[in-house]
Amino acid sequence: MAAGLPISLLPRPEYQVMSRQVRTIFDSRDPATAHDTARRMGIDYLWVEDLDRRTYSLGTATLAAAPGYFTNVFDNGEVQVYRVR
């Protein structure tokens, strides 16, 4: 897991910054930008589920439509996993 917010009542700035970076991957309409951000963060695979698709519908559609940047390596209808190329 590249980033996430810890379970605590005190937000830490470094976690907030990294969470924003991950959000840009899922919210980007430009596959090159999403890819570059994922690579800079050292992300090899992206897990996409229903909540992600509902929250970031255009961005997750961008991932699905960009096999040159993100290769679908798993899909069971509920979850898709993309390899960051």
Side-chain angles (χ1 to χ4, degrees):
M1 185 164 151
L5 296 176
I7 301 173
S8 71
L9 297 176
L10 300 172
R12 298 196 40 131
E14 63 268 25
Y15 292 123
Q16 292 172 327
V17 167
M18 292 179 75
S19 290
R20 278 193 299 272
Q21 290 172 345
V22 169
R23 200 171 309 119
T24 64
I25 296 168
F26 282 89
D27 204 25
S28 179
R29 280 28 165 224
D30 176 35
T33 299
H35 179 265
D36 291 346
T37 303
R39 280 276 146 230
R40 274 195 314 276
M41 294 185 75
I43 296 173
D44 295 318
Y45 294 90
L46 293 170
W47 172 284
V48 179
E49 58 189 39
D50 185 54
L51 179 60
D52 303 315
R53 287 187 299 275
R54 285 186 315 215
T55 305
Y56 305 105
S57 60
L58 294 176
T60 55
T62 298
L63 299 175
Y69 293 101
F70 303 97
T71 303
N72 186 312
V73 295
F74 177 81
D75 186 342
N76 70 359
E78 294 181 25
V79 171
Q80 290 77 40
V81 176
Y82 297 97
R83 180 172 60 95
V84 180
R85 297 181 63 105

